[in-house]
Amino acid sequence: MNMRPVRTMSQLPYCYYEGYLEKRSFKDKKSRKLWTCLCGSTLFFFNDKRDTEYLEKLDLSGLIEITDDTSVDCNLHAARLNLQIKDIHIGFSAPNAEARELWKGLIQSVSELSVSSSLNLMPGQILMLEDVVKKEKERQKNMDMPDCFHPVSRTEAELLLERDASRGNLLLRPSSYGCAFAISTREELNGPIYKHYQVSRNPDDSFTINLDKPVTCASLPDIVRYFVDTTDGALNSLSREETYEQNISFVDVDNENGERTVRDAAVDVTMLDLPTKPAMTKALSQEEENTYVNNSEQRIFTDRRSSEPEIKAQVKSKKAPIPARRKNPPSSQVSVTGSTHSKETKMRSHMDHLGQTISELKQKFEDKRTRFAD
């Protein structure tokens, strides 16, 4: 019996929804209240939500019909629905009509990979179903890729089959022709024999092996199984093997006798706080402006404007401020924000302040000259 080790259901497909349902088949006289999990396109049933072993499962991929059951339940608030999957008829009872509608929508969505427009659900629940459909499509897309798929070229496939000959002699890889695939095999007969078979995708998402008599299969895993079965197991799929170390180890050399041994590193899991990099602020020089090779003039103009307050602060800190020469920005980037009158007023105020500063300097020089003359 398969296990569900933790609530994340790491050994089952992704769980889209879960809750209690009463399950009954048409031959059962009594229904059973089971914790039901919709994982991928399968319903898994547990005695209780804390159980780790499921009792049974129901594959929804062959769903034919799902309908409301208007018969009265012993629980007046409960709402029934019936499922027909191939030749199986199963009934469920949800806690209420709203829960029944949601379960019905979920089951339809994963089996049909679309959201039915006839559902009576809230907008948030419709968005939830759309998300379920998106995730299920992605899950099924990844599920269809067999373990023996290797993203390698023809030459790399031959090298891989030779290197790992003890593990398998068949792999699936991308073909050099568009979206097609290829099967590469290696056998021994007075030396290695490599063969490559093209596999094309059909409009209905089936796949065909391009032979003198083409062979069509429903999926890529079926293609691989066909090769294995028709050769009576002479061809074996070479599955991907990706192993990772569980601990950090290193080769240590004994300084006394020179002996080399493998030791486990003492790993401190405490994260170190990296020092904050100090911010460096300075005005752009002409040389720095020239480093913006692929940037527009707006970037250079913005950087120059951002440094102007720092330049002004440096000028004010001096005893005898000397106004810096005005740098005119590109005409395409200058925006007029004030009237002509306000500009003239600011200029007059600036000139008055400059004249006063010059007068004070002249007075100081005159005083010094007078003292030296005396």
Side-chain angles (χ1 to χ4, degrees):
M1 182 173 291
N2 293 338
M3 301 289 294
R4 186 180 66 169
V6 290
R7 293 290 294 131
T8 56
M9 304 178 214
S10 59
Q11 293 186 357
L12 295 181
Y14 185 83
C15 183
Y16 300 128
Y17 193 73
E18 54 188 340
Y20 278 111
L21 285 177
E22 291 189 14
K23 176 180 175 292
R24 67 188 184 280
S25 62
F26 284 89
K27 63 181 180 180
D28 295 334
K29 296 181 179 180
K30 290 185 177 181
S31 60
R32 293 181 296 164
K33 186 177 182 181
L34 301 171
W35 183 257
T36 307
C37 299
L38 177 61
C39 301
S41 59
T42 305
L43 289 174
F44 291 87
F45 302 100
F46 301 81
N47 266 330
D48 189 80
K49 62 182 179 181
R50 292 181 293 271
D51 287 354
T52 58
E53 296 183 9
Y54 66 82
L55 299 174
E56 52 187 292
K57 64 180 181 179
L58 179 64
D59 185 8
L60 301 173
S61 58
L63 179 68
I64 297 176
E65 186 181 27
I66 179 170
T67 57
D68 294 341
D69 185 350
T70 57
S71 62
V72 179
D73 193 273
C74 57
N75 180 359
L76 298 179
H77 297 288
R80 294 185 172 188
L81 69 156
N82 297 325
L83 269 70
Q84 182 182 354
I85 301 176
K86 298 179 180 178
D87 56 347
I88 302 175
H89 295 266
I90 300 177
F92 293 99
S93 292
N96 50 57
E98 182 181 353
R100 176 182 64 184
E101 194 71 6
L102 181 57
W103 274 108
K104 187 169 67 173
L106 287 162
I107 292 172
Q108 284 180 318
S109 296
V110 298
S111 60
E112 301 172 3
L113 295 180
S114 62
V115 179
S116 174
S117 59
S118 62
L119 295 170
N120 185 20
L121 294 172
M122 301 291 288
Q125 294 171 321
I126 296 294
L127 291 176
M128 170 187 170
L129 296 184
E130 291 174 351
D131 185 58
V132 166
V133 170
K134 179 181 177 182
K135 291 179 179 178
E136 180 61 15
K137 285 181 178 179
E138 186 67 23
R139 186 191 72 86
Q140 292 189 15
K141 178 181 177 181
N142 296 333
M143 182 183 64
D144 287 340
M145 195 63 67
D147 288 340
C148 63
F149 175 77
H150 297 262
V152 295
S153 65
R154 173 189 286 243
T155 303
E156 291 169 336
E158 293 180 357
L159 293 173
L160 188 60
L161 289 169
E162 181 179 4
R163 187 192 69 184
D164 297 330
S166 60
R167 295 199 300 113
N169 58 357
L170 175 150
L171 62 80
L172 176 71
R173 61 176 177 83
S175 173
S176 56
Y177 297 96
C179 298
F181 295 89
I183 291 286
S184 296
T185 65
R186 179 186 186 274
E187 295 179 280
E188 290 282 348
L189 181 63
N190 300 324
I193 299 176
Y194 295 97
K195 296 180 182 178
H196 305 275
Y197 304 86
Q198 189 181 50
V199 179
S200 59
R201 184 192 294 268
N202 302 318
D204 61 352
D205 286 337
S206 62
F207 297 88
T208 297
I209 309 170
N210 296 327
L211 303 171
D212 291 338
K213 295 182 179 180
V215 176
T216 299
C217 299
S219 64
L220 289 174
D222 291 336
I223 292 285
V224 174
R225 280 193 291 270
Y226 177 82
F227 274 90
V228 175
D229 294 343
T230 54
T231 59
D232 294 328
L235 295 178
N236 243 341
S237 60
L238 176 60
S239 300
R240 292 188 301 270
E241 187 176 71
E242 299 177 352
T243 58
Y244 299 91
E245 298 294 334
Q246 301 300 316
N247 298 290
I248 298 177
S249 60
F250 63 98
V251 177
D252 187 32
V253 180
D254 193 321
N255 294 329
E256 295 182 358
N257 56 23
E259 183 181 352
R260 294 173 177 265
T261 57
V262 178
R263 290 181 53 192
D264 290 334
V267 180
D268 185 3
V269 296
T270 306
M271 296 295 294
L272 298 177
D273 294 330
L274 297 177
T276 304
K277 184 177 181 180
M280 299 180 66
T281 57
K282 60 178 180 179
L284 285 175
S285 64
Q286 185 65 31
E287 180 181 357
E288 289 173 321
E289 291 180 6
N290 292 335
T291 61
Y292 291 99
V293 177
N294 296 322
N295 291 2
S296 63
E297 291 182 352
Q298 177 67 32
R299 172 67 181 275
I300 300 175
F301 181 53
T302 304
D303 290 344
R304 188 185 296 115
R305 287 175 54 191
S306 65
S307 64
E308 286 179 3
E310 297 169 4
I311 298 175
K312 292 180 180 179
Q314 294 175 8
V315 173
K316 288 183 180 179
S317 64
K318 298 180 180 180
K319 293 184 179 180
I322 300 175
R325 188 179 68 176
R326 174 182 291 274
K327 292 183 179 180
N328 293 326
S331 58
S332 61
Q333 302 296 337
V334 177
S335 60
V336 179
T337 58
S339 63
T340 305
H341 176 71
S342 62
K343 287 184 178 180
E344 292 177 353
T345 303
K346 291 180 181 179
M347 181 61 72
R348 190 181 301 111
S349 174
H350 176 71
M351 295 302 295
D352 291 343
H353 177 70
L354 180 60
Q356 181 180 356
T357 303
I358 295 174
S359 299
E360 291 177 357
L361 288 173
K362 286 183 178 181
Q363 184 63 42
K364 288 182 180 180
F365 286 131
E366 186 66 26
D367 291 343
K368 287 183 179 181
R369 188 175 63 81
T370 302
R371 284 199 300 272
F372 286 131
D374 294 342

